Amino acid sequence: MSLTTSPPVPEARAPAAGRRMTRAAGLAAAAGVLLVLVLLSLAVGAKPLSPGEVWRGLVDEASSGYPVVHQMRLPRTLLGLLVGMALGLAGAVMQSLTRNPIADPGLLGISAGAAAAVVSAISFLGIVSFLGFVWFALAGAGAVAVVLYAVGGGRNATPARLALAGAALNAALYSYVNAVQLLDTVSLDRMRFWTVGSLAAAQGDTVVRVAPFIALGLVLALALARPLNALTMGDDAARALGTSPGRTRAVGIVTVTLLCGAATAACGPIVFVGLMVPHLVRALTGPDLRWLLPYCAVLSPAIMLGADVLGRVLARPSEVQVGIVTAVLGGPVFLHFIRRRRAVNS
């Protein structure tokens, strides 16, 4: 009797190849949805534009729509793309890093830390530019990320401990933000729209200055896909696969700080985007971060732009700020996730 093993059957690779093709097709479809929402973001507003007017507004300086598109809607759309991408990736990295399915920069206090630092800079130092905001936002987000990780238990952190620590930090920091706003009436108007999360004041300079921080965060997040996949199996298994758990966690904290800090400095704290999108994407891709992160990078800005367009339509000719829309939409989604997990665990 021969003891040699038979060669692999080619058909055995077919299911994996089929899944890859399905995921790739889904990613292409998501990119198509994002493109449609980019066009809507350029067309919808107090002055609606047709597709032809949008195109002429992009390429023809003599067009009547050129100032509307170039000075108002194009910077707003580009900022929505960058901020949505940053928040979605930050949420996915946090959820994987902490093994907490409800981890989100807005819920665990990361955005609140950035907001508290920026509000302090506005009120006490008189800083009004993005270049001033961004460094304070990064410092605030980074400090809260480190404190959250330490208070939540470090390597022994559990989802419950992280959620409790994040809720406490979030409440304390937003109480501080509200107190500063009430005490400093001169800076109140300057902070009012920023603290609810808004794309309305987007400018071309802001987009140019925020892009390098978010681009670096994007590169780091995608580079973390394999190490975070290994880390989900435990520290010992990760080391056996050649991954350093300590280095992975450190790079993960830096990544979340860059993404969340830059996004918050650009348009204020926006909640639930980083929570909703990774959960929606897992239903399509499963837990593999090599697919989860690219999907989040495409679908998160789609959610952001969709919420922004919805806010413009609901209160026309005025508008509802995007941070309010995402909070209203995200609240029921958050409750749904909690109920579903309770049903699964019962």
Side-chain angles (χ1 to χ4, degrees):
M1 179 185 295
S2 174
L3 297 178
T4 58
T5 58
S6 58
V9 180
E11 287 76 3
R13 299 190 184 93
R19 284 194 297 270
R20 284 195 297 270
M21 291 183 62
T22 300
R23 289 169 176 173
L27 190 58
V33 171
L34 178 58
L35 178 60
V36 170
L37 287 165
V38 166
L39 296 176
L40 283 175
S41 182
L42 294 173
V44 175
K47 180 185 178 181
L49 300 175
S50 68
E53 289 173 322
V54 169
W55 175 250
R56 288 190 294 272
L58 285 170
V59 300
D60 184 5
E61 294 185 14
S63 168
S64 61
Y66 187 87
V68 176
V69 173
H70 272 266
Q71 295 176 17
M72 298 168 55
R73 295 187 188 167
L74 184 59
R76 182 172 186 161
T77 300
L78 293 176
L79 188 61
L81 285 169
L82 290 172
V83 169
M85 181 188 302
L87 294 176
L89 288 171
V93 171
M94 284 187 68
Q95 288 173 18
S96 178
L97 193 65
T98 62
R99 302 178 194 175
N100 186 343
I102 63 170
D104 171 77
L107 293 177
L108 295 187
I110 309 295
S111 295
V118 172
V119 165
S120 299
I122 293 172
S123 182
F124 302 132
L125 301 177
I127 293 174
V128 295
S129 68
F130 173 78
L131 279 180
F133 285 172
V134 68
W135 300 112
F136 283 91
L138 291 173
V144 171
V146 172
V147 170
L148 175 66
Y149 185 68
V151 174
R155 294 183 180 181
N156 298 319
T158 63
R161 290 183 66 177
L162 285 169
L164 290 172
L169 288 169
N170 206 38
L173 290 167
Y174 274 123
S175 295
Y176 168 78
V177 169
N178 291 331
V180 172
Q181 287 180 311
L182 290 173
L183 293 173
D184 187 357
T185 55
V186 175
S187 300
L188 177 60
D189 286 338
R190 196 182 302 155
M191 294 185 285
R192 187 166 44 129
F193 286 106
W194 182 86
T195 53
V196 299
S198 174
L199 297 173
Q203 298 178 352
D205 287 348
T206 305
V207 174
V208 171
R209 290 168 179 168
V210 76
F213 296 97
I214 295 179
L216 179 57
L218 170 65
V219 171
L220 290 175
L222 295 178
L224 280 172
R226 289 181 182 275
L228 286 175
N229 275 343
L231 202 60
T232 58
M233 297 183 286
D235 286 9
D236 292 337
R239 290 190 190 94
L241 292 172
T243 297
S244 169
R247 183 170 62 244
T248 299
R249 292 187 177 97
V251 175
I253 290 174
V254 171
T255 301
V256 171
T257 299
L258 279 170
L259 293 170
C260 185
T264 304
C267 60
I270 295 177
V271 297
F272 287 120
V273 174
L275 171 70
M276 288 189 292
V277 177
H279 278 282
L280 296 174
V281 169
R282 282 191 193 93
L284 302 173
T285 66
D288 188 349
L289 286 152
R290 293 173 298 176
W291 287 99
L292 179 69
L293 292 174
Y295 264 84
C296 286
V298 173
L299 286 177
S300 296
I303 295 290
M304 177 70 72
L305 291 180
D308 188 42
V309 170
L310 183 61
R312 297 182 221 174
V313 172
L314 289 176
R316 186 180 289 176
S318 184
E319 64 181 70
V320 180
Q321 303 304 319
V322 66
I324 297 174
V325 177
T326 59
V328 171
L329 295 176
V333 175
F334 179 62
L335 294 176
H336 169 70
F337 288 146
I338 292 177
R339 288 191 62 185
R340 189 174 67 178
R341 284 186 60 80
R342 182 179 299 174
V344 170
N345 295 331
S346 62

